[in-house]
Amino acid sequence: MKSSLKKRLVLAFLSTIIVPILVAILTLYLGANQLPNEDDQLDQLFTDVKKEIRMKEDELPNSDVFYKEIKPLLDRYDMNVTIHTKENEIIFDSRNYREADDVNSFLPNFKTFTIQVQPEDNIIWDVTIHANSSQSEPFKRMTFIIRVLLLGIGMGFLTLILMIVIWTMYISRTVLTPLKHIYQATEEMREGNLDYPIKYKKRDEIGRFIQGFNVMRQHVKDSFKKQKQYEDSRKELIASISHDLRTPLSSIKGYVEGLRDGIVQNEEMKQRYLQVIHDKTAHLDHLIEDLFEFSKTEVNQLPIEKEVVNASNYFEKLLTKHQFELRKQEVELTYPAEIEPVTILIDPMRMEQVMSNLIINAVRYGSDRIEIDVQIDQLKGHLVVSVIDNGQGIEPEDIPYIFTSFYRGEKSRPTKDGGSGLGLSIVKYIVKAHEGDIHVESEKEKGSTFVFTLPLYVKGNLSKIDE
Ligand code: ADP
């Protein structure tokens, strides 16, 4: 049941008022039903008193005799009577003869009744009846009514207390206990324990608050975890940068020392030494360049300056250049004879970087006879560029990580010409900045296919082509 805390509080408040009243009314009702059926008992008493006084009226001048005459009646009802004239002159008062007014009643009106008796045509007396005890009939009835009234009030009061106790327990269970848990959880969080979920199933305000609290705790936990990963990757970064820079540097140092110490005996050896030094410096340069670019992608500051480009002209020029360069290394690069002259919006320099990175990787991780095929197609409003190699392929367990910075797959890979592990993360950054996407399909020992997409634009008004 989804009941809000507000509703429950209102219900608690109302029921605390209403239920005791109902219980009191019910008790009164049931009590009233139990009331002895003595409605006419008082009438009977009054009739008896009137009759007796009229009958014994003659004896009135002598009070003693009159008292004796009416004593059985007084005994029967355990009462006293006082007879007055209209002028308030007391004619007779039985209280002079018998103990009077021991009525233990706290409602004084119930102990006296005044009736009128007409002994003769033009005389009217007031007769006051004093009940001596509330235990004798019909005065008992009054006591009964008072008892029922008291019982009703008592029951109402007891129910009120019961309701207060029940609701206090309920509110404490549904509000205070969860609050206590929240307090405990904040204490645990303060101590650094972020694995302390608060269990509360209801979907009321507190439930929603706790849900929010749990989400916040999870966020804090995740961000701590991320922070930790970030710190770890920083440490790894520094370690790997130092390692990557030191390896070529120490070999450059070795060769330079060789030259300095005159180990080189002939021109051919000198040229070889210089070539190694040149290659290592180029490698160092490449590493530093990657690092530099990466640091800019990290803070989203790698400048991307897009311009409208004809895909056909652009890729043909770029691929011809690469084909020429690769031929020197005996690497075969093929690409479509005709590329559709569609419009793309790219940063030509950055896109060249993407292509070079993919092609350099295809060479670096290639087999003995490296063949690279570039295909350019169109699909759902996108240009789809595939770089297919016949190289060593990627281990399936490495595939999900190769676009992650500093991730270098396949431990067996020789480190002498190893990259920085940054190339593909920079490639992905650039492709994403062009609103495209990149993925890889690869099979060990068969080769890899890197596929990236770029949105196509309508020539002239620069709106994207619908998918
Ligand atoms: P690196 O500087 O190490 O080449 P990259 O980010 O360019 O870093 O690539 C990450 C990893 O992905 C490489 O270490 C390599 O294991 C794998 N890889 C990338 N391209 C290819 C490819 N064409 N064939 C096989 N493995 C590749």
Side-chain angles (χ1 to χ4, degrees):
M1 186 188 75
K2 190 189 166 191
S3 80
S4 74
L5 188 62
K6 188 174 150 198
K7 266 193 218 151
R8 276 185 278 155
L9 286 178
V10 170
L11 186 72
F13 184 68
L14 288 181
S15 60
T16 308
I17 296 173
I18 292 170
V19 174
I21 292 177
L22 287 180
V23 169
I25 291 174
L26 188 72
T27 313
L28 289 178
Y29 174 76
L30 291 177
N33 277 348
Q34 301 293 315
L35 195 66
N37 192 11
E38 292 163 339
D39 280 350
D40 7 63
Q41 274 197 328
L42 271 178
D43 286 346
Q44 184 62 48
L45 164 72
F46 299 153
T47 317
D48 287 354
V49 170
K50 283 181 193 168
K51 203 167 116 201
E52 196 75 0
I53 290 175
R54 268 200 241 107
M55 269 172 52
K56 309 283 164 54
E57 179 205 345
D58 295 344
E59 312 296 344
L60 250 180
N62 187 339
S63 293
D64 292 352
V65 178
F66 183 75
Y67 174 66
K68 265 190 203 130
E69 287 296 330
I70 64 163
K71 187 170 181 294
L73 176 73
L74 300 181
D75 285 347
R76 176 143 52 96
Y77 288 109
D78 192 12
M79 62 179 181
N80 275 305
V81 289
T82 318
I83 305 173
H84 314 255
T85 62
K86 277 281 157 215
E87 292 72 35
N88 225 1
E89 181 196 333
I90 295 176
I91 302 171
F92 172 78
D93 192 347
S94 68
R95 286 176 297 183
N96 298 332
Y97 299 94
R98 51 193 284 132
E99 213 170 290
D101 281 354
D102 67 342
V103 179
N104 188 14
S105 170
F106 35 87
L107 290 176
N109 289 340
F110 286 151
K111 69 181 182 185
T112 60
F113 305 91
T114 301
I115 57 169
Q116 290 183 334
V117 178
Q118 193 168 16
E120 285 164 37
D121 281 351
N122 46 2
I123 301 176
I124 293 176
W125 290 337
D126 281 341
V127 177
T128 307
I129 299 166
H130 308 268
N132 279 342
S133 154
S134 56
Q135 295 311 316
S136 61
E137 307 288 358
F139 311 112
K140 207 175 171 179
R141 182 182 164 81
M142 305 303 157
T143 326
F144 188 84
I145 290 171
I146 293 161
R147 277 202 195 129
V148 168
L149 271 178
L150 287 178
L151 189 69
I153 294 169
M155 285 300 283
F157 192 67
L158 271 181
T159 320
L160 177 75
I161 292 175
L162 198 72
M163 293 301 292
I164 290 174
V165 170
I166 289 173
W167 278 114
T168 309
M169 277 164 65
Y170 178 73
I171 300 286
S172 136
R173 198 165 55 84
T174 55
V175 180
L176 300 183
T177 313
L179 281 182
K180 211 167 98 189
H181 285 151
I182 294 170
Y183 174 73
Q184 267 167 6
T186 52
E187 285 292 294
E188 291 285 333
M189 274 178 82
R190 202 162 56 90
E191 299 291 321
N193 176 11
L194 294 170
D195 290 307
Y196 192 88
I198 311 172
K199 289 187 189 82
Y200 187 85
K201 294 218 170 64
K202 289 202 187 83
R203 291 184 47 77
D204 53 14
E205 289 88 340
I206 303 236
R208 286 201 292 274
F209 176 73
I210 287 179
Q211 213 179 3
F213 185 89
N214 280 337
V215 169
M216 181 196 77
R217 183 187 53 77
Q218 193 56 42
H219 275 196
V220 173
K221 192 178 158 190
D222 291 349
S223 75
F224 270 27
K225 202 169 148 197
K226 256 195 210 142
Q227 181 73 24
K228 168 113 188 16
Q229 278 171 351
Y230 190 68
E231 273 164 23
D232 288 351
S233 89
R234 293 274 121 184
K235 281 184 201 151
E236 230 175 82
L237 166 72
I238 292 171
S240 83
I241 292 173
S242 342
H243 177 264
D244 286 355
L245 294 181
R246 212 169 47 211
T247 319
L249 259 183
S250 48
S251 102
I252 291 171
K253 196 172 155 224
Y255 282 96
V256 170
E257 278 169 3
L259 284 172
R260 185 196 63 190
D261 299 343
I263 297 172
V264 184
Q265 287 131 14
N266 53 42
E267 187 58 22
E268 188 203 339
M269 203 173 163
K270 186 178 156 196
Q271 283 308 320
R272 229 178 45 232
Y273 268 48
L274 285 174
Q275 186 58 45
V276 174
I277 293 168
H278 174 267
D279 289 351
K280 295 286 167 191
T281 330
H283 182 54
L284 262 182
D285 189 40
H286 179 71
L287 280 181
I288 291 166
E289 182 61 25
D290 269 2
L291 263 176
F292 185 57
E293 305 254 286
F294 167 73
S295 66
K296 284 197 266 184
T297 65
E298 277 280 87
V299 284
N300 267 340
Q301 274 180 358
L302 189 70
I304 308 263
E305 280 154 26
K306 294 184 199 169
E307 54 187 76
V308 178
V309 163
N310 177 320
S312 166
N313 296 345
Y314 177 77
F315 281 104
E316 261 166 30
K317 203 166 144 201
L318 186 144
L319 291 167
T320 318
K321 192 179 92 186
H322 276 284
Q323 195 179 47
F324 179 73
E325 295 286 328
L326 288 171
R327 250 186 218 137
K328 292 186 209 158
Q329 302 173 45
E330 291 178 10
V331 173
E332 195 187 327
L333 173 74
T334 51
Y335 56 89
E338 265 187 37
I339 301 170
E340 284 285 317
V342 284
T343 306
I344 46 176
L345 187 67
I346 55 164
D347 180 331
M349 286 249 303
R350 295 292 171 208
M351 203 41 67
E352 167 140 26
Q353 205 177 339
V354 168
M355 290 303 287
S356 319
N357 260 310
L358 295 179
I359 292 171
I360 289 172
N361 275 352
V363 176
R364 189 184 279 159
Y365 307 109
S367 55
D368 295 340
R369 243 194 79 73
I370 304 168
E371 285 170 16
I372 305 169
D373 182 33
V374 175
Q375 286 183 4
I376 300 180
D377 306 290
Q378 287 175 53
L379 184 73
K380 294 181 180 171
H382 283 79
L383 192 73
V384 183
V385 183
S386 314
V387 180
I388 307 156
D389 67 49
N390 63 341
Q392 49 188 258
I394 308 167
E395 294 284 348
E397 63 264 29
D398 285 337
I399 290 181
Y401 306 105
I402 58 165
F403 293 102
T404 314
S405 21
F406 296 106
Y407 189 85
R408 286 187 280 194
E410 208 189 334
K411 291 107 214 152
S412 58
R413 191 166 54 81
T415 51
K416 66 176 170 56
D417 59 350
S420 56
L422 291 171
L424 286 181
S425 79
I426 297 171
V427 163
K428 185 167 183 176
Y429 178 91
I430 297 172
V431 171
K432 288 267 174 196
H434 283 83
E435 297 171 61
D437 218 339
I438 182 161
H439 73 270
V440 64
E441 283 157 24
S442 183
E443 206 178 322
K444 218 38 211 147
E445 309 304 338
K446 290 234 166 98
S448 314
T449 302
F450 283 84
V451 183
F452 71 90
T453 60
L454 292 172
L456 289 175
Y457 285 79
V458 179
K459 195 179 173 190
N461 70 2
L462 269 199
S463 56
K464 276 190 208 161
I465 289 179
D466 289 341
E467 297 194 359

